[in-house]
Amino acid sequence: MTIAEERSELAHEPEAGGQHGPTGIYKWLTSTDHKVIGKNYMYTSLVFLMIAGAMAMIIRAQLVQPDGHIVSQQMYNELFTIHGSMMLYLFAGPFAFGGFANFILPLQIGAPDMAFPRLNALSYWLYLTGGTTMLMGFFVNGGAAAFGWVSYAPLSSYTNSPGPGPDLWIVAIILTGFSGIFTAVNLVTTAFYLRAPGMTMFRMPIFTWNMVVTGILILIAFPILTAAMVMLYADRHLGTHFFTVAGGGSPVMWQNLFWFFGHPEVYILALPYFGIASEIFPVFAKKPIFGYKGLVFATLAIAGLSTGVWAHHMYTTGTVLLPFFAALSLLIAVPTGIKVFTWIGTLWGGNLQFRVPLLFALGFLVTFTMGGFSGVMLASPPFDFAVHDTYFVVAHFHQVLAGTAIFAGFAGFYYWYPKLTGRMMREGLGKLQFWIAFIAFNMTFIPQYLAGLRGMPRRIPVYLVSDHVTFLNQVSSVGAFLTGFSFLIWLLNVWISWRRPIPAGDNPWDGHTLEWATSSPPPHHNFTSLPPIRSQRPVWDKNHPEYADYTTDHDGTPKKEVEPQ
Amino acid sequence: MKKLNFRTETQAGRSGRRLALVRPGWRIPLALGGAALALSACNVTDFGMHTGATTQGHDIFSLYQTFIYMVIVVAVVTFGGLLYVLVRFGRRKGDQVPRQRHSNVKIEILYTVIPALIVGAIFYMSVGTENKVDAISPNPNLNLTITAFQWGWRFTYPNGVSIVSQGENYPQMVLPEGETTKVKLVSKDVVHGFYVAAFDFSRYALPGFTNYFDLTPNKLGTFVGRCSQLCGLYHAEMLFSVRVVTPAQFNAWLSSQGKGATA
Amino acid sequence: MKVEYRVYLGIGIFVLIVTVVYFFWAKEYGGAMMLFGTAGLGLLPALYLGWWKRRMDPRPEDVEEATVAENRGAVGAFPDHTIFPFVLGIGAFLTALSLVFGAWTAVIGLALIVFAATSATLESRRGGTV
Ligand SMILES: [Cu+2]
């Protein structure tokens, strides 16, 4: 039985496009449309970004002086714990994987919706309630969790961290964890089973490929996180001794479990943004992506390798096989380097259009590459001995993760905002936001490398004058406040586009992939008609038949024998 | 690096709600002084890192120096290439469609193989340094037990001398210069991090697992040590100091401690 | 189906190799166990996809020359709007909160879950929409 026959048995004609069904709040509560859910994810995660960003502002204000008095030590510990947890679990992941992937992936492969629309809606509600749960910690007796986003045992035991705050944190992680798992199942299934005819796997846009690989990684990593959280809860309340020495357990086992999730998680957060950048560079260079297959295999290599590097967060425990983890961690630099050179190769020889999405994507490329350099150094165990748990590490992962999520995230937002809403953002304000954010961001984190090398540990609310890091911290704090300010420009831009819309049209950027073949915003069930899919860039082929991909060979020279269709 | 009198700068302990780590008079010139120090305190070729006041730390520092030289070369190539692309190809006009190149296998192999060789070299150097840093002497000059607890340290010497955090006073660990001290590191409660920035070295103090490592100080002086791994409310105040003295001074100090009050 | 199968197979085999290397080099069984499980998470879907690959003609989306017209019939049944995922989510939320605030939230939560799960199932049997 062929799939086509199977499909006709399921025949249930989607209703014609256009607005129908409920509106307003009831639409928001009941929609199973991937576009509505994707937007919900995006706006919710941006609210969480603002909240977690405000926490970062308080943290930086506290560190302006060596003996800052902005918040108490307990509050400081709660703030950086929830700041990290929110940025990682509630912003960086859901913004790209719940937001962009949900909205864009079905469009890019020519699907009418996600494979499991109801599950998709459930994912969002688990995400929203999980996020709410995490914030509830601040309002209960004893305050929110205060043991860092890594929650090392036995600091996270009931003896050392009593009260409901840590339990709320555990529940929040479990709820958002399930939300991520459901979204991953949904996206992988959608990409495997709902592609349009002719959209073979090796014609899928890189964005979609990256989401598939991210989904596979989530399905590997998140169950371990959930299991670890259940064990932690059991240790806290049910009298088990997984992580307590007195009961025969092992605190280091927590670190193994957590990082076995935690390192793939880093790539779960980063790969979607790599996908966004991989869409933007070709469009604004008016070229295809350079080395498509190399990029796909690099992404798969990162996924494979990321499962074997967890203990590079544990070099200084003295319990792990250093050369093994150093070798695999360093190897990840190779596919990551391939990506960076692929992006530069895409720009090479192009006709560069310096619009706001390209600027943000370039900002991502620069900060990510800088963070990559320090990452390669940190993969070396002896160097890690010197700077582990210092601000050097803080600077590193903010450059790779925050830099990626903010710059590539906003690149994607500016790029797809016309498709989301049918409106353009203001170009001038976007450029202003970019330049302030780019300068301020590096001003925030480059001094932190130096502070770390001087010996400033992370997660401290006070430090010594004799550490000679006061000035560095002051520069960093000013940079952080300016970064925060750049978000206000973005909010203004959104507000202006909302009050005085500039219509975008279907394809304002001369985009290459299928999401630009439908209207902005797309109709219910996405497409009224599809262009023929004969390459990785069906919309480009349609709009530029003389330069269509199937008419040229790999070098860009026209093939003789192929007739343009 | 400036020497500092460590204890006088830290006045209030955890009995007060918070540390007063700065003398009031210091606050105004902080920014200026900090700027001057940032420029003057270290050699340019130190690239901001401590040169390592132990032989182990110095090995790590040398590795870091090599890394930075490599990073400079790679960064010049990568960012230089990017800048060239932006300048060279950013000036074309209008909607002109450039050549639609998809791939170039030779270049792709090149930018796969060269990074692989670089990380191979980094791996080779890392393992070499790691073996030196992690080597434990079979016959150390001194055996020292360090116990971390919430929120302080205990340094126990072989003759029973024990230095421990008490209230507002941060304990001082004394080490002989040029001699190898084998440290046994344990934790009484949660995970702590034994970290001396001037030594370019840190190691977790784990409950239920004992870590051993060697320290061979090669510079006299007093250095700040602290807990690097978040261990609860007063993590930031879990400080100690390290005083490196000549072996003769060390022996005199140790025997005087033995006679006097031990904690 | 071939590429999908090979993606999972590749990840599974790669992690299996890493597992073997780690097992004999580190001689540490916790990590080896986690890696072995991960290899399974690659190989199990590969088995499923491979099983289908052998029993199925190439789908239009696997054929480079396929035209849109080859997609006969509807692709699937997609609900337009339904309240039950929301009810289910709130039910799961309240049930999970019982881990913190005691059993009473679980009573409401589980009731909501049962109600939403049955209703959603009946709803989709009826053909998708409310
Ligand atoms: Cu500590």
Side-chain angles (χ1 to χ4, degrees):
Chain A
M1 182 200 298
T2 69
I3 271 289
E5 277 162 1
E6 213 168 42
R7 280 178 178 170
S8 49
E9 282 170 21
L10 280 170
H12 166 74
E13 280 301 327
E15 291 171 47
Q19 210 55 40
H20 63 291
T23 50
I25 183 90
Y26 196 68
K27 175 186 170 196
W28 183 66
L29 288 178
T30 60
S31 181
T32 53
D33 182 346
H34 73 99
K35 297 186 289 298
V36 176
I37 296 169
K39 278 198 239 180
N40 286 349
Y41 257 112
M42 234 180 268
Y43 299 143
T44 313
S45 59
L46 284 168
V47 169
F48 286 136
L49 168 72
M50 296 299 157
I51 297 171
M55 292 179 192
M57 297 300 119
I58 301 172
I59 289 168
R60 285 315 317 173
Q62 166 78 16
L63 293 173
V64 167
Q65 290 203 328
D67 59 342
H69 289 264
I70 308 290
V71 289
S72 71
Q73 301 211 349
Q74 171 67 26
M75 181 48 94
Y76 186 84
N77 290 1
E78 291 173 25
L79 282 174
F80 69 68
T81 300
I82 304 299
H83 162 79
S85 304
M86 285 184 78
M87 284 295 191
L88 293 165
Y89 298 118
L90 302 182
F91 165 64
F95 183 53
F97 196 72
F100 285 122
N102 232 320
F103 194 99
I104 301 296
L105 184 140
L107 290 168
Q108 280 197 332
I109 59 172
D113 203 325
M114 295 276 269
F116 310 113
R118 292 185 189 84
L119 188 68
N120 200 13
L122 177 62
S123 294
Y124 173 74
W125 296 115
L126 292 181
Y127 162 62
L128 182 65
T129 53
T132 314
T133 311
M134 191 172 283
L135 283 172
M136 277 161 67
F138 284 109
F139 304 103
V140 295
N141 214 353
F147 38 53
W149 82 280
V150 298
S151 167
Y152 271 13
L155 182 61
S156 49
S157 70
Y158 196 79
T159 327
N160 291 304
S161 300
D167 294 326
L168 284 169
W169 183 87
I170 293 171
V171 169
I173 303 294
I174 292 176
L175 285 171
T176 47
F178 273 108
S179 151
I181 290 171
F182 293 159
T183 307
V185 168
N186 224 331
L187 284 171
V188 174
T189 313
T190 308
F192 279 8
Y193 288 95
L194 287 183
R195 300 194 306 277
M199 177 62 77
T200 60
M201 285 294 275
F202 279 110
R203 280 181 185 165
M204 290 198 311
I206 294 290
F207 175 86
T208 297
W209 257 114
N210 279 34
M211 293 304 171
V212 169
V213 177
T214 307
I216 292 173
L217 267 183
I218 285 183
L219 295 176
I220 286 171
F222 272 42
I224 293 172
L225 175 72
T226 311
M229 288 299 156
V230 171
M231 289 158 91
L232 180 60
Y233 183 85
D235 263 17
R236 286 174 63 87
H237 293 290
L238 308 176
T240 58
H241 293 283
F242 291 112
F243 311 120
T244 48
V245 179
S250 157
V252 179
M253 187 167 84
W254 168 266
Q255 296 182 30
N256 275 294
L257 282 169
F258 183 83
W259 288 117
F260 200 86
F261 147 78
H263 203 80
E265 164 75 355
V266 174
Y267 291 100
I268 288 165
L269 299 178
L271 287 179
Y273 294 97
F274 296 172
I276 294 172
S278 305
E279 292 301 301
I280 287 169
F281 288 128
V283 169
F284 293 90
K286 295 188 172 291
K287 275 181 66 199
I289 190 98
F290 179 80
Y292 172 93
K293 281 206 175 172
L295 203 48
V296 170
F297 287 121
T299 308
L300 287 167
I302 288 178
L305 286 167
S306 76
T307 61
V309 298
W310 74 91
H312 70 206
H313 300 267
M314 299 163 59
Y315 284 156
T316 66
T317 60
T319 63
V320 299
L321 180 66
L322 298 175
F324 176 86
F325 291 106
L328 285 191
S329 307
L330 286 167
L331 268 181
I332 288 198
V334 176
T336 314
I338 291 178
K339 279 173 182 273
V340 169
F341 292 120
T342 298
W343 291 325
I344 295 177
T346 305
L347 298 173
W348 195 289
N351 178 2
L352 303 186
Q353 316 282 308
F354 288 105
R355 311 294 295 274
V356 179
L358 181 64
L359 288 181
F360 272 98
L362 288 168
F364 149 74
L365 183 53
V366 172
T367 53
F368 175 75
T369 309
M370 277 199 279
F373 290 149
S374 54
V376 173
M377 289 161 65
L378 284 168
S380 163
F383 178 67
D384 184 69
F385 292 168
V387 295
H388 183 78
D389 269 333
T390 70
Y391 262 84
F392 190 91
V393 176
V394 175
H396 158 70
F397 69 70
H398 278 91
Q399 277 205 311
V400 287
L401 282 180
T404 298
I406 289 174
F407 289 109
F410 275 109
F413 191 89
Y414 277 96
Y415 179 58
W416 280 307
Y417 185 80
K419 187 52 63 183
L420 260 62
T421 60
R423 295 157 180 213
M424 299 299 286
M425 298 275 270
R426 296 299 192 277
E427 194 80 1
L429 277 175
K431 284 182 177 164
L432 183 68
Q433 183 204 347
F434 167 75
W435 284 111
I436 293 178
F438 182 71
I439 293 165
F441 184 87
N442 288 301
M443 187 175 157
T444 312
F445 294 109
I446 289 174
Q448 292 186 4
Y449 281 119
L450 295 169
L453 289 167
R454 294 248 167 102
M456 182 176 173
R458 60 197 287 200
R459 296 170 179 150
I460 54 169
V462 287
Y463 47 92
L464 300 171
V465 175
S466 59
D467 291 331
H468 304 315
V469 294
T470 314
F471 178 68
L472 295 171
N473 274 299
Q474 286 163 347
V475 175
S476 179
S477 292
V478 172
F481 302 144
L482 283 173
T483 313
F485 173 71
S486 74
F487 288 101
L488 300 181
I489 301 176
W490 169 74
L491 281 176
L492 178 71
N493 206 344
V494 173
W495 187 74
I496 291 176
S497 92
W498 177 55
R499 293 308 298 263
R500 296 180 186 280
I502 302 175
D506 292 353
N507 189 2
W509 311 114
D510 192 10
H512 297 172
T513 40
L514 277 182
E515 74 267 31
W516 304 107
T518 183
S519 61
S520 305
H524 205 63
H525 291 141
N526 294 347
F527 293 96
T528 45
S529 70
L530 277 174
I533 298 158
R534 284 292 164 273
S535 77
Q536 292 139 18
R537 303 190 294 166
V539 176
W540 170 273
D541 294 346
K542 188 179 159 216
N543 293 340
H544 303 270
E546 70 280 19
Y547 298 105
D549 278 352
Y550 49 77
T551 63
T552 58
D553 69 4
H554 71 92
D555 212 23
T557 41
K559 285 183 200 164
K560 291 274 154 39
E561 66 275 24
V562 177
E563 296 288 312
Q565 296 186 350
Chain B
M1 303 296 294
K2 303 277 179 297
K3 261 191 201 167
L4 50 115
N5 192 340
F6 181 67
R7 275 185 195 178
T8 55
E9 281 169 10
T10 53
Q11 287 151 353
R14 63 192 59 118
S15 48
R17 266 173 40 93
R18 87 182 26 263
L19 273 178
L21 291 167
V22 198
R23 285 194 203 133
W26 280 43
R27 287 202 185 133
I28 297 143
L30 262 186
L32 276 177
L37 273 165
L39 295 171
S40 70
C42 313
N43 241 322
V44 179
T45 49
D46 293 351
F47 301 116
M49 200 185 194
H50 298 270
T51 50
T54 59
T55 51
Q56 292 87 356
H58 190 74
D59 287 340
I60 292 176
F61 166 74
S62 306
L63 183 73
Y64 167 73
Q65 246 182 339
T66 318
F67 283 176
I68 290 291
Y69 289 128
M70 295 170 82
V71 163
I72 289 172
V73 173
V74 178
V76 164
V77 171
T78 317
F79 290 133
L82 181 63
L83 201 67
Y84 170 80
V85 170
L86 297 184
V87 173
R88 166 83 176 70
F89 302 108
R91 294 172 189 281
R92 294 190 179 177
K93 289 190 193 100
D95 281 345
Q96 183 197 341
V97 174
R99 177 180 249 212
Q100 300 294 296
R101 182 170 290 157
H102 297 235
S103 60
N104 184 325
V105 177
K106 275 181 206 155
I107 291 175
E108 286 173 57
I109 290 173
L110 203 67
Y111 67 55
T112 310
V113 171
I114 291 177
L117 292 175
I118 293 175
V119 300
I122 291 176
F123 177 73
Y124 178 78
M125 291 186 294
S126 298
V127 171
T129 310
E130 177 186 304
N131 289 340
K132 282 196 267 179
V133 172
D134 270 354
I136 294 170
S137 161
N139 46 352
N141 305 78
L142 172 68
N143 280 290
L144 174 64
T145 302
I146 302 178
T147 312
F149 55 90
Q150 281 174 325
W151 286 274
W153 303 89
R154 177 187 289 276
F155 303 101
T156 312
Y157 289 84
N159 65 348
V161 169
S162 174
I163 316 284
V164 68
S165 305
Q166 277 177 323
E168 301 174 7
N169 291 326
Y170 301 119
Q172 187 166 66
M173 164 173 117
V174 182
L175 292 177
E177 187 212 8
E179 298 194 340
T180 298
T181 302
K182 181 179 169 185
V183 174
K184 177 185 177 189
L185 180 65
V186 292
S187 165
K188 277 210 311 215
D189 35 53
V190 301
V191 182
H192 300 273
F194 170 87
Y195 174 47
V196 182
F199 290 177
D200 286 332
F201 186 80
S202 71
R203 183 58 56 92
Y204 278 3
L206 294 163
F209 183 87
T210 308
N211 262 311
Y212 296 92
F213 56 88
D214 278 6
L215 295 174
T216 315
N218 56 11
K219 260 184 214 147
L220 298 174
T222 306
F223 311 104
V224 182
R226 59 213 320 167
C227 178
S228 61
Q229 174 60 40
L230 175 69
C231 55
L233 186 55
Y234 295 111
H235 163 59
E237 294 178 38
M238 206 172 137
L239 298 131
F240 60 96
S241 62
V242 187
R243 187 155 59 96
V244 179
V245 296
T246 60
Q249 286 171 324
F250 175 78
N251 287 332
W253 171 82
L254 192 61
S255 48
S256 79
Q257 290 290 309
K259 282 179 215 139
T262 56
Chain C
M1 232 42 206
K2 201 170 74 188
V3 182
E4 291 92 328
Y5 158 69
R6 285 187 180 169
V7 164
Y8 262 113
L9 189 70
I11 290 177
I13 289 176
F14 178 80
V15 180
L16 202 62
I17 293 168
V18 173
T19 310
V20 172
V21 172
Y22 184 78
F23 182 82
F24 287 105
W25 190 3
K27 300 191 176 59
E28 188 266 311
Y29 305 119
M33 199 60 222
M34 290 195 288
L35 282 170
F36 184 70
T38 302
L41 288 175
L43 293 173
L44 283 176
L47 280 176
Y48 171 80
L49 294 167
W51 192 85
W52 270 109
K53 177 180 77 86
R54 291 179 51 184
R55 279 162 186 77
M56 186 193 250
D57 299 331
R59 302 167 300 168
E61 55 261 48
D62 295 328
V63 179
E64 299 217 323
E65 290 80 31
T67 57
V68 177
E70 279 174 49
N71 220 355
R72 279 175 295 152
V75 179
F78 297 97
D80 289 321
H81 47 86
T82 162
I83 190 70
F84 298 114
F86 172 72
V87 180
L88 198 60
I90 297 298
F93 172 54
L94 291 173
T95 311
L97 278 188
S98 72
L99 292 172
V100 186
F101 298 123
W104 64 273
T105 58
V107 176
I108 311 169
L110 286 171
L112 286 178
I113 288 178
V114 171
F115 165 68
T118 11
S119 310
T121 314
L122 293 174
E123 179 192 87
S124 66
R125 288 233 179 139
R126 280 202 310 270
T129 47
V130 186

